[in-house]
Amino acid sequence: MTTEARLDGAASTIGRPTPPLNAREKLTGRALYAADFKMPGMLHLKVLRSPHAHARIVSVDTAAARALPGVHAVLCGEDTPDRLTGVHRKQHRILATSKVRFVGEEVVAVAAIDEETARDALDLVRVAYEPLPLVRSMDEALRPGAAEVHENTGNLSIEYNVERGDVDAAFAGAALVHEATYETTPQYPGYLEPMATVAWVDGDGRLVVRTSTQSVFLQRNRYADALGLPVSAVRVIQATVGGAFGGKVVEECNSLICAWMAHRLGRPVSFVNSRLDDFLGARSSPAERITLRMGVDAEGHIIAKEVRILADCGAYEGLATHVLQVSLVRSDNMHRHLRNVRSNGRLAFTNHPPRGAVRGFGGPQAAFALNSHMTEMAQALGIDSVDFMKRNAVRAGDTSVHGFELGSAGLAECFDQVSEAIGWAAKRERPRDRGTKRRGIGFAGAIHVSGNREMGNWDGSIVTARVTADGRVTLSTGESDMGQGAYTMLAQCCASELGIPVSRVTVLPTDTDLSPYGHGSIASRVTILAGNAAIRAGRAIRGRLLALASEVLGVPEGDLTIAGGEIYATSTSPNRRLTFGELSRLHLYRHGGEELRVTATYDPPTFLAMSRPDQYGNVAPGYSFAAQAVEVEVDTETGQVEILATVVSDDCGRALNPLAVHGQTCGAAAMGIGWALYEEMKFEDCRLLNGNLADYTMPTAGSLPHIRSEIVESMEPNGPYGAKGASETAMLPGAAAIANAVHDAVGVRIRELPITPEKILAGLRARASADAAPGASHA
């Protein structure tokens, strides 16, 4: 019998609901967030933000602020290192110099003995500005003669062009061609904890930063580059993260300014954003205008697709370049028969606050346009919309138009699951409502990556496992837990391999001094990449334990059993048992002994497609899918939309922890519903008018329907125990599903988010006028 077969599986929680490892400390209030840390001599930092969207900085007078008792530093852009920083392209200093490009840009930083003194000092700073012409929209940005946000750019940040097959010939031979334009709005990440950082210089002169982040190593690289330091002179520690949703990857400036101030002063500094600070300083998702032209053959197969996107990255591009690329091409990989694609994407600079990474990373924008478009095409063809989506859905084993190799693909099963749960078959046959309140039903589907090879041709994950003297196992990883349950998943994988309870595994917080390198929690990569590394680490530990136990007991490894933290041989008598703790001590306390520690790496067999001009290749080891069905009731007198029922199906390969998958899927669906119906960042002359949670309407528990979450287990061959990324994909289909349901209810197609009562009423009036026009069809 093999050692793997002799593992006692009773302890494994793989596939079972497992509470988060850190649930107790969060529920009892003992979790330490960045804002909770206090240090002797710590100063508090606040920043003065620009009131202008576009202006030259004529002068900065800080004399009165410096004279205020309790103020230790008042610094402006000229005091920052003379080097530019940025994610994709280096475009700005740590604080603004010479000119500001958006309302809220950081101009002056004050460090004082407390927050109140720092705020008082900001009131004493005098900055003289010379206003410049505004670039209010992406259309205005690209007009000839427009003012430039960045000189000599023509306000064009980047342009993508991708073409495959013979697009014109495919359209010429299509049975139906449909074209329409859709518009999406920016979404604020909406995490519970605003950005917060504490930074200091240790006794060796190294900069230490404890911050709320999704990636300690990407942040370390950023601080070192911006400050002109070697990476070895910077240490970044992840504090408990109160939600992130993409907004805490590497773009925000809170932690960078705090790190710089601490390095400059040699004192501990804390910088905690107010909610308004966070609205102005966070990266919202880019607004996009998406024009889709699609052709289908007589069998209802999508055979041609043309996509044109104009996106607004705000004042600085950051990760918005990659977001645009995702919106432009990723959804193409859902279509099984598509081989002819033409895509053009342009990203424009405006004087809006910078846009960047938010949950879904360009997928929600594309999913809204695509699923709305497909539903209209299905109606024109006289095909049931769910059937139309299913017959075009990719299957396991397919290679998509852009080279995605689909080891698993449960998109069709997701459609089956949600259509059955929502009662589609019966509800599509019911008589149409004719009263004031009318019901409708809608569907949508989506694709997302599980990992993405785009940084330095490495998309791996490293896990170090160590067995302590009392038999516990500790794991170190460079990936981050930001509330999604990543560390619980890693503990499950390792515990399963060792036949011990999850409670016997500790996953240490990420720390660039102590953790192995990792890109962090981005692109739904942690489960499939770090999960595989944790399994390999667990197996390596198991091998070491078995080899030592075999030596001590004088029993072949194949006759040993591992269970409950012990190793024993059932075929011998007397039955001596060795605990993991005993074996750990024996491994160390012997001639030439060492600590029982292993390091395991998993780097998937994927392709760096971004390095190729045609951007073709398999970028991820797995691809996740989701579908959502929504039933709404629309009040034709008020335009109000009430969601009566919604079902979300998440193809996550295998649900290692169904409790976490369901929780995160419901949260993703809630975020999609908010973006579809409520959330809209309102600007006047590029000034944000609703930068607070009173005026920026996010869905509350009372405004959300009961969200039914379902799981499709498609068993990803590259995944740990068949798993792949879960739940992020579930945010993508919501807006389109709601738009399709509204159209089904009242016949009004909303192509511009959010789906507000005003837009519905305007659509109803336009439809009534069209119906009343002479010669109009009243069928």
Side-chain angles (χ1 to χ4, degrees):
M1 183 180 292
T2 65
T3 55
E4 188 159 350
R6 297 289 294 277
L7 280 172
D8 181 357
S12 177
T13 65
I14 296 298
R16 302 179 185 176
T18 305
L21 295 180
N22 56 4
R24 183 180 296 275
E25 67 173 358
K26 288 185 176 181
L27 289 171
T28 58
R30 294 176 180 174
L32 293 176
Y33 297 84
D36 294 324
F37 283 89
K38 305 291 186 289
M39 300 182 69
M42 187 174 79
L43 301 175
H44 295 265
L45 189 151
K46 293 294 177 185
V47 297
L48 183 68
R49 299 179 181 275
S50 168
H52 297 277
H54 201 196
R56 287 192 179 87
I57 299 174
V58 177
S59 64
V60 181
D61 184 355
T62 61
R66 292 174 189 270
L68 186 68
V71 171
H72 285 254
V74 184
L75 302 175
C76 60
E78 299 303 326
D79 300 307
T80 62
D82 187 15
R83 55 196 300 127
L84 299 179
T85 183
V87 179
H88 178 70
R89 190 179 300 166
K90 301 185 189 307
Q91 293 179 318
H92 61 90
R93 298 266 285 269
I94 296 173
L95 296 173
T97 58
S98 70
K99 80 171 185 174
V100 292
R101 294 177 171 88
F102 68 96
V103 173
E105 185 161 11
E106 299 87 353
V107 177
V108 177
V110 172
I113 57 172
D114 54 42
E115 290 191 2
E116 184 177 357
T117 302
R119 283 192 291 265
D120 289 343
L122 291 182
D123 291 338
L124 298 174
V125 175
R126 297 291 177 264
V127 182
Y129 296 96
E130 177 190 335
L132 297 171
L134 296 181
V135 181
R136 296 177 177 84
S137 70
M138 48 195 182
D139 292 311
E140 183 179 319
L142 300 182
R143 288 175 188 153
E148 289 189 312
V149 179
H150 296 274
E151 290 73 17
N152 303 315
T153 63
N155 292 324
L156 181 64
S157 164
I158 199 167
E159 182 168 5
Y160 293 106
N161 286 287
V162 177
E163 185 163 352
R164 308 203 197 286
D166 192 336
V167 181
D168 294 329
F171 274 120
L176 172 70
V177 176
H178 178 51
E179 181 172 340
T181 298
Y182 307 85
E183 296 199 28
T184 68
T185 54
Q187 184 177 31
Y188 170 65
Y191 33 64
L192 187 63
E193 173 211 26
M195 265 305 301
T197 306
V198 59
W200 66 96
V201 176
D202 68 12
D204 293 330
R206 298 174 70 229
L207 174 64
V208 184
V209 184
R210 187 183 295 270
T211 187
S212 181
T213 182
Q214 296 173 232
S215 176
V216 292
F217 285 96
L218 294 183
Q219 290 284 32
R220 182 188 67 174
N221 295 345
R222 183 187 185 205
Y223 306 149
D225 181 67
L227 298 176
L229 299 172
V231 292
S232 58
V234 181
R235 178 186 182 186
V236 182
I237 306 168
Q238 183 194 29
T240 303
V241 179
F245 309 125
K248 297 179 180 178
V249 175
V250 71
E251 296 179 278
E252 50 72 34
C253 289
N254 170 285
S255 61
L256 176 60
I257 295 171
C258 187
W260 164 68
M261 182 67 84
H263 181 259
R264 168 102 180 196
L265 299 182
R267 292 274 298 269
V269 176
S270 173
F271 185 15
V272 180
N273 274 0
S274 68
R275 186 59 69 176
L276 177 57
D277 281 331
D278 215 84
F279 263 96
L280 294 174
R283 300 306 187 247
S284 58
S285 58
E288 295 185 6
R289 180 182 302 122
I290 303 171
T291 298
L292 271 180
R293 182 172 177 242
M294 292 171 60
V296 298
D297 63 18
E299 287 74 39
H301 298 149
I302 298 170
I303 58 172
K305 187 176 183 183
E306 185 173 25
V307 187
R308 300 189 304 277
I309 301 179
L310 178 58
D312 179 357
C313 69
Y316 300 104
E317 64 185 30
L319 289 171
T321 55
H322 301 304
V323 173
L324 172 59
Q325 184 197 39
V326 168
S327 295
L328 197 65
V329 302
R330 186 172 293 165
S331 65
D332 298 344
N333 300 283
M334 292 171 58
H335 311 314
R336 189 174 202 202
H337 309 283
L338 179 64
R339 290 295 176 267
N340 307 286
V341 174
R342 181 185 295 130
S343 303
N344 171 263
R346 294 180 298 160
L347 187 66
F349 290 115
T350 67
N351 288 122
H352 288 128
R355 311 278 165 75
V358 175
R359 193 180 201 171
F361 203 85
Q365 295 94 321
F368 169 63
L370 174 63
N371 287 278
S372 299
H373 208 74
M374 289 182 69
T375 300
E376 289 192 78
M377 296 188 78
Q379 292 167 348
L381 291 166
I383 301 174
D384 178 87
S385 58
V386 176
D387 179 64
F388 180 56
M389 292 180 182
K390 283 179 61 179
R391 71 177 64 181
N392 283 285
V394 288
R395 305 289 199 274
D398 287 350
T399 297
S400 73
V401 65
H402 296 301
F404 289 14
E405 298 172 10
L406 301 167
S408 66
L411 180 57
E413 290 80 2
C414 287
F415 282 124
D416 285 338
Q417 204 171 60
V418 297
S419 59
E420 180 179 349
I422 206 76
W424 170 248
K427 289 176 180 176
R428 67 179 178 178
E429 301 296 334
R430 68 189 178 192
R432 307 294 301 178
D433 294 329
R434 299 298 181 186
T436 299
K437 294 186 177 182
R438 303 178 186 179
R439 295 189 176 189
I441 192 168
F443 289 83
I447 183 176
H448 194 57
V449 292
S450 296
N452 192 0
R453 186 176 292 271
E454 61 176 343
M455 286 186 282
N457 201 19
W458 188 77
D459 192 30
S461 188
I462 307 169
V463 170
T464 296
R466 179 169 62 96
V467 182
T468 63
D470 62 355
R472 288 188 64 83
V473 177
T474 62
L475 299 180
S476 296
T477 174
E479 319 306 348
S480 298
D481 194 317
M482 52 192 180
Q484 83 278 36
Y487 289 173
T488 305
M489 177 274 300
L490 293 178
Q492 285 182 274
C493 291
C494 186
S496 178
E497 292 299 318
L498 293 172
I500 58 176
V502 171
S503 59
R504 297 281 296 276
V505 181
T506 299
V507 185
L508 302 175
T510 53
D511 180 332
T512 56
D513 269 13
L514 305 175
S515 305
Y517 182 85
H519 287 329
S521 293
I522 52 178
S524 290
R525 64 190 301 278
V526 176
T527 292
I528 199 165
L529 300 176
N532 272 322
I535 288 173
R536 291 184 175 188
R539 289 176 180 171
I541 286 286
R542 186 184 71 196
R544 296 273 192 94
L545 291 170
L546 285 169
L548 184 56
S550 174
E551 177 185 334
V552 173
L553 297 176
V555 177
E557 291 184 28
D559 292 334
L560 294 175
T561 294
I562 300 179
E566 295 180 326
I567 297 180
Y568 57 92
T570 55
S571 59
T572 60
S573 182
N575 183 16
R576 182 184 174 192
R577 293 170 178 258
L578 292 170
T579 67
F580 283 10
E582 290 174 315
L583 289 165
S584 175
R585 294 191 295 273
L586 286 170
H587 198 274
L588 174 63
Y589 294 112
R590 57 178 176 165
H591 185 71
E594 60 181 0
E595 184 182 41
L596 184 46
R597 178 196 298 260
V598 302
T599 296
T601 300
Y602 176 74
D603 188 22
T606 51
F607 190 78
L608 186 62
M610 288 187 66
S611 66
R612 292 177 48 156
D614 61 357
Q615 299 180 40
Y616 183 90
N618 188 41
V619 300
Y623 300 91
S624 299
F625 297 88
Q628 186 167 357
V630 176
E631 184 178 13
V632 303
E633 184 175 76
V634 182
D635 189 320
T636 57
E637 291 184 347
T638 66
Q640 291 289 337
V641 177
E642 180 184 359
I643 299 178
L644 303 177
T646 187
V647 186
V648 185
S649 180
D650 193 346
D651 167 25
C652 59
R654 184 181 183 189
L656 300 183
N657 184 359
L659 180 67
V661 173
H662 284 301
Q664 290 296 305
T665 295
C666 288
M671 198 166 177
I673 291 170
W675 187 56
L677 292 177
Y678 310 120
E679 299 182 46
E680 183 176 13
M681 301 180 77
K682 294 183 177 294
F683 293 90
E684 182 178 286
D685 289 335
C686 300
R687 181 186 304 276
L688 181 63
L689 301 179
N690 57 335
N692 58 74
L693 295 183
D695 298 320
Y696 180 82
T697 309
M698 294 173 62
T700 61
S703 64
L704 287 168
H706 171 72
I707 300 172
R708 179 172 170 179
S709 167
E710 302 283 356
I711 294 172
V712 167
E713 294 191 306
S714 61
M715 301 304 291
E716 170 55 47
N718 289 324
Y721 309 121
K724 54 188 176 182
S727 306
E728 186 172 6
T729 321
M731 186 208 162
L732 276 58
I738 294 170
N740 288 335
V742 168
H743 182 268
D744 186 53
V746 296
V748 172
R749 171 61 63 185
I750 304 297
R751 295 192 176 91
E752 180 181 344
L753 294 179
I755 303 168
T756 62
E758 293 82 1
K759 292 174 186 174
I760 291 173
L761 292 176
L764 288 170
R765 288 192 296 270
R767 184 180 178 189
S769 298
D771 288 346
S777 172
H778 298 277

